Amino acid sequence: MQTVVTRFPPSPTGYLHIGGARTALFNWLLARSTGGRFVLRMEDTDVERSSREMTDSILEAMHWLGLDWDEGPYYQSQRFDLYQRFIDELLDNSMAYYCSCTPEEVEQMREEARKKGEKPKYNGRCRERNLGPGPERVIRFKSPLEGETAFKDVLKGDVAVDNRELDDFVLRRTDGAPTYNLAVVVDDVDMGITHILRGDDHLSNTPKQVLLYRALGVDLPVFGHVPMIMGPDKKRLSKRHGAMSVLEYRRQGFLPEAMSNYLARLGWSYGDQEIFSQDELREKFSLHNLSKSACVFDPDKLLWVNSQHIKSASAQDLAPVLQEFLAASDLPSPEQDYLLQLIPLLQPRAKTMQEMAEWAAPFVRADGDLPYDPELLHKFLTPEAASYLERLLPVLRELPRFDQKSLESRIGSFLEEQEIRFKRLAQPIRVALTGSKASPGLFESMELLGRESVLARLERALQLAEA
């Protein structure tokens, strides 16, 4: 049985964005679900626009998403000799030729074709001139003039293009650099790629690549052109729709497992299931479940998926991530044991790890550093509320056990003694302990903070409210 070999070939001229990350994920999942191999290749033949910074950023994003590779990363800029050998083979077999036409002349050919209502393309002027190497000459592929070029696509079905629609496309530029179509086919042949999943914006290149495969006498890989990701307005996804680089999502507090889950569901399904672990994705992914329809990027759905992964993650796994976000917000990072108690209180509320850090802030600050909004103190720590809190302080000092159950029971008794309802004191206590109107459960929060901090914060809030 043939081993499945897939690849992801980003161009390091920009950051890894949602569309590219989904392409990488689909190819990685296909390799992993079949016991195959996944190859990473940098298509950096555009030397002027490619950069080491972009390359490192792409690699970092791949690592963060957990998309490990079995081979590579290969760099096309280091493989020019290989491309030239294949070009020489095509020249020797009269399947390619030198062309001396200038860009201006080629544009004029296209313009003349437009005027005649024909497809604008190179007219083959140098096709039979038998030119040799020379300055400012490109090398073109000798495309067939009749018939059609056909291939099967796992999503599009049978695809065929009239060869009269194709022109003799360039294989090597005047500066000696290979073109995209030549380099990608040579690399895929050399690396033994068996399956190619990519966005359907590449579909127009595929007939040219099919011609090259056949000219080189090699079998075609399995093609799958996945519909593009659209914005809510049904236009191609862009920054205006909220799409960002993958690493920007990390900086905003999205988990890599959630990101992979959401990306996989943008064009793939498994029944009605929405939430998948990465292990489940590897186990259940199949080409048969890829969608033939365009999918819409929904930031709110991504946020929901992230919240589900935060809820289901272990505190042990979330602790180091939370520490990173606390540090990024210049907040203290407490001991691991304390975080492991704090995180379960925050998981039901936090949609991102950045939000979790914000919810965690009152619990990790020193008692004397907790900021208070004067308006909140004035609104909730009224003279009446303050008088009740003053009476509550000795009750809390004398409580034998300072845990959730004991706190709930004793404060309940205190409220009965004072003949007041819980809501009369709940918000004043919450504001005094956290500086906010919203927090995790009050008694759980008090147990976590501990007796010393609870008393210190209540006393400080009462002093500030009186000032």
Side-chain angles (χ1 to χ4, degrees), residues 88-96 215:
D88 289 341
E89 180 181 333
L90 293 172
L91 287 168
D92 291 342
N93 293 327
S94 299
M95 293 180 177

Side-chain angles (χ1 to χ4, degrees), residues 43 104 157 200 204 234 247 298 301 313 361:
E43 298 194 338
E104 293 76 18
D200 60 10
S204 61
K234 302 299 188 292
L247 292 181
D298 183 350
K301 183 67 173 290

Side-chain angles (χ1 to χ4, degrees), residues 162-173:
D162 189 327
N163 288 333
R164 289 173 295 182
E165 296 291 304
L166 304 175
D167 65 358
D168 290 354
F169 53 91
V170 175
L171 300 177
R172 194 185 74 183
R173 303 184 184 94

Side-chain angles (χ1 to χ4, degrees), residues 249-255 319-331 352-358:
Y249 285 101
R250 181 180 70 173
R251 284 187 282 271
Q252 291 192 5
F254 288 84
L255 296 176
V321 185
L322 178 56
Q323 284 176 323
E324 290 179 15
F325 279 90
L326 291 172
S329 300
D330 294 324
L331 290 166
T352 68
M353 293 307 294
Q354 177 60 44
E355 274 191 16
M356 184 176 284
E358 293 166 4

Side-chain angles (χ1 to χ4, degrees), residues 342-379:
L342 171 60
I343 287 172
L345 300 187
L346 308 180
Q347 283 175 283
R349 292 175 170 269
K351 294 179 181 178
T352 68
M353 293 307 294
Q354 177 60 44
E355 274 191 16
M356 184 176 284
E358 293 166 4
W359 283 109
F363 296 92
V364 300
R365 292 185 189 275
D367 300 330
D369 293 337
L370 184 68
Y372 289 107
D373 182 341
E375 289 187 10
L376 279 182
L377 288 178
H378 177 73
K379 180 177 180 180

